Amino acid sequence: MDSSNGGHIVLLGDSIFDNKAYVGGGPDVAQQLRDELPPGWKATLLALDGDLIAGVNRQLLALPEDATHLIVSAGGNDALGFAHLLEAPARSVAESVTLFADAQEQFAADYELMATALSAAGLPAAVCTIYDTPSAGPFYRIIRTALTVFNDCVTRAAFSRGLSVLDLRIICTDDGDYANALEPSVQGGAKIAGAIAALLDPGRQVPRSTVIGGS
């Protein structure tokens, strides 16, 4: 991260970033990110609690003119809209998988449109996976497994466009990282902010991967 020129990070998406209402007066992700950044850098929150993937397209229209980096965390609310499939009757595993395949296609179509718009902004950008629910929850194993259907769409869209990925499933691994089943706590927000800062600073010693999405 070159602190001499500064930079302007814009956070887009949903309540993963817009989590002020869930941290009991503590700092939200945007403030925690600002605290991580060197002098001369700033962060703007355009993410909106409750927004769907399609909402990011609207948020992109409000980008500050001096934006330099874009970070998106979206899709959790869209996936939540398919939660009823977990209790849908099915005569076979194949029929159940088909229901999720249909949901995946709808999710993928929305995510691909958003990822295309994100890439078109012409700025360095990253997207976040949908993280797991707290492991103490009664349906943890089922939800974690079902979310892989949607996270596959996230990674495919990102890797095919050369977008970076912040894997929140690996970043937020402790139940204390969650304010509830959906939003990050102060503890989780600090981890997310730290991961964003690490993405922008190659000098930080964190696990990194290289993915080849095509030729």
Side-chain angles (χ1 to χ4, degrees), residues 2 12 52 78 106 117 126 135 174 180:
D2 183 359
L12 305 144
L52 302 174
D78 300 76
Q106 182 178 334
S135 61
D174 186 271
N180 53 48

Side-chain angles (χ1 to χ4, degrees), residues 60-211:
L60 284 167
L61 298 176
L63 287 181
E65 292 185 1
D66 62 344
T68 60
H69 298 79
L70 309 178
I71 313 291
V72 175
S73 183
N77 291 320
D78 300 76
L80 187 62
F82 296 111
H84 65 280
L85 295 180
L86 296 175
E87 298 181 354
R91 291 168 294 182
S92 66
V93 173
E95 185 174 350
S96 182
V97 171
T98 298
L99 292 175
F100 275 92
D102 292 340
Q104 185 185 53
E105 288 181 2
Q106 182 178 334
F107 183 100
D110 292 337
Y111 207 92
E112 289 284 339
L113 286 174
M114 183 276 291
T116 297
L118 181 64
S119 297
L123 297 172
V127 298
C128 299
T129 60
I130 305 169
Y131 61 14
D132 303 324
T133 193
S135 61
F139 305 108
Y140 168 71
R141 293 178 67 242
I142 295 173
I143 293 172
R144 176 177 175 174
T145 301
L147 285 176
T148 62
V149 170
F150 304 110
N151 277 319
D152 180 69
C153 303
V154 174
T155 54
R156 284 176 184 266
F159 296 152
S160 65
R161 293 169 173 80
L163 300 173
S164 296
V165 174
L166 292 165
D167 198 331
L168 298 188
R169 298 169 297 180
I170 299 172
I171 293 167
C172 296
T173 58
D174 186 271
D175 281 4
D177 296 333
Y178 298 84
N180 53 48
L182 302 177
E183 284 82 21
S185 63
V186 171
Q187 175 180 302
K191 291 182 178 181
I192 295 170
I196 295 171
L199 174 68
L200 301 173
D201 183 0
R204 290 204 185 192
Q205 297 300 309
V206 297
R208 299 176 187 271
S209 299
T210 298
V211 175

